[in-house]
Amino acid sequence: MAQTETCIYLGQELADYGFKDGHPLGPQRHDVFQAELIRLGLDRQLAIQKPVTASTDRIELFHTADYVDKVRDYSRSGQGYLDQGDTPAFTGMFEAASHVAGSVTDAVDRIMKGQFRRAFSPIAGLHHARRHVAAGFCVFNDCGIAIEYLRQRYGIRRVAYIDIDAHHGDGVFYSFEDDPDLIFADIHQDGRTLYPGTGFAGETGIGAAEGTKLNLPVAPFSDDAVFEEVWPVVEDYLRRQEPEFILLQCGADSIKGDPITNMEFSPAAHAHAASSLRRLADEYCDGRMLGMGGGGYNHDNIARAWTAVVDAMVKPL
Ligand SMILES: [Zn+2]
């Protein structure tokens, strides 16, 4: 059998990134996904990596030191909220969030060193956290950390971030909206109808970056027919940008039946996005592609969407 080209991050340290007391982002999401991965036999086509923690220095490539200290304090007490009420503290939160970030940057290392072409981390893609504050269930923004790490450790400037989560990836967008080199394409439910209320088509970047970003809001109840209309816009945009590394945030909350959104994609949309990006990564990026699970609060949808992405990453072309 050919050596596997794709690795995946699984383990309790990632499963621990989950809020308690019936919060939509609970601790079961990792196990639900892993069970489906095994049921489909996909685990046998992947190199399974244990979660890796991130050092404070690495987290501070993106986040402010004051914010990282605040997370450490709240994690010790397990009391209160990190934001206005979406992101409650829990004991061990700092360690769990550090494993989310560390696994993603470990994947970057393995891909950049040529050990694997592609990687996937299910408990990742925490795209709402800003540099100085938590938001929307997201403590450390592993997407933003990966972008900064690629640049500072490997000199990769032209990172492409593609986001098909139902929610706008505001923590990534606003952290890089004045950066002409960050390639950003985001399909999400119209901000007038869903948290965080941003990501309008006219938001294309500011200053030197004006006109360089792609926000593609779609109406509530948009289905695969809408996805098939907008995806070619993303592909054309990416071809023009000539990325060096592709990040995919493939939130499963854009699939029909999610309890907190109103989107109606099917896992076929996630499979299509992943195969298309895999081909683009082969064409422009020496294959370098990293998938991050993102949101998703219907467990069946998580299992189906993320395994569809993994399948697209491992199957023979
Ligand atoms: Zn989401």
Side-chain angles (χ1 to χ4, degrees):
M1 199 174 84
Q3 195 186 346
T4 183
E5 295 184 331
T6 309
C7 72
I8 190 163
Y9 288 79
L10 293 171
Q12 189 58 45
E13 296 89 342
L14 288 173
D16 285 344
Y17 188 87
F19 303 93
K20 314 296 186 280
D21 304 324
H23 188 285
L25 200 157
Q28 302 85 17
R29 300 161 78 248
H30 170 281
D31 291 2
V32 163
F33 163 68
Q34 180 174 249
E36 181 70 357
L37 193 80
I38 292 168
R39 193 184 72 79
L40 295 171
L42 286 167
D43 57 317
R44 296 195 300 272
Q45 302 170 58
L46 295 156
I48 297 174
Q49 304 294 331
K50 290 200 177 81
V52 175
T53 194
S55 65
T56 300
D57 283 353
R58 194 164 296 181
I59 295 165
E60 289 177 3
L61 291 174
F62 179 82
H63 289 290
T64 62
D66 283 352
Y67 173 61
V68 175
D69 287 345
K70 175 179 173 177
V71 174
R72 199 182 280 111
D73 288 347
Y74 274 65
S75 175
R76 282 198 195 103
S77 75
Q79 300 293 315
Y81 283 88
L82 281 175
D83 56 9
Q84 275 78 46
D86 290 326
T87 317
F90 61 91
T91 309
M93 174 180 68
F94 181 84
E95 289 74 17
S98 297
H99 276 95
V100 173
S103 298
V104 162
T105 55
D106 187 69
V108 165
D109 283 333
R110 291 181 190 278
I111 293 170
M112 290 308 300
K113 289 171 181 164
Q115 191 178 351
F116 300 102
R117 286 171 84 77
R118 294 174 290 282
F120 185 81
S121 192
I123 308 302
L126 303 177
H127 60 170
H128 296 305
R130 304 289 182 98
R131 292 184 186 272
H132 63 288
V133 68
F137 319 159
C138 301
V139 176
F140 293 145
N141 190 327
D142 51 294
C143 321
I145 295 167
I147 292 164
E148 296 288 7
Y149 186 59
L150 274 161
R151 290 175 161 189
Q152 298 187 31
R153 171 73 180 77
Y154 294 103
I156 297 267
R157 294 289 308 169
R158 305 285 295 165
V159 182
Y161 173 84
I162 298 93
D163 185 325
I164 60 170
D165 189 287
H167 303 93
H168 180 229
D170 58 338
V172 178
F173 181 75
Y174 293 110
S175 299
F176 296 95
E177 74 174 326
D178 60 352
D179 180 332
D181 287 331
L182 197 274
I183 302 163
F184 180 96
D186 192 324
I187 300 171
H188 50 271
Q189 184 175 327
D190 190 327
R192 289 170 296 188
T193 65
L194 188 70
Y195 177 92
T198 55
F200 298 101
E203 294 185 89
T204 65
I206 58 173
E210 197 178 339
T212 66
K213 313 276 179 270
L214 189 60
N215 277 300
L216 294 165
V218 295
F221 312 110
S222 288
D223 60 10
D224 284 0
V226 175
F227 178 84
E228 284 162 23
E229 271 173 42
V230 297
W231 186 258
V233 179
V234 174
E235 267 196 14
D236 288 349
Y237 163 77
L238 291 173
R239 287 183 183 285
R240 286 196 306 275
Q241 301 295 323
E242 300 194 355
E244 298 172 88
F245 195 109
I246 289 180
L247 300 173
L248 168 64
Q249 199 275 22
C250 53
D253 51 10
S254 50
I255 291 181
K256 184 174 183 176
D258 190 88
I260 68 170
T261 81
N262 314 104
M263 299 273 288
E264 297 195 349
F265 290 170
S266 83
H270 289 60
H272 186 94
S275 348
S276 161
L277 294 175
R278 177 181 169 182
R279 285 192 299 272
L280 287 167
D282 283 347
E283 201 172 328
Y284 293 101
C285 315
D286 290 331
R288 299 187 287 247
M289 172 180 176
L290 169 56
M292 301 169 293
Y297 309 102
N298 172 316
H299 287 175
D300 189 43
N301 287 352
I302 286 174
R304 293 188 303 140
W306 292 349
T307 54
V309 167
V310 171
D311 182 62
M313 291 173 89
V314 299
K315 73 180 174 193
L317 283 178

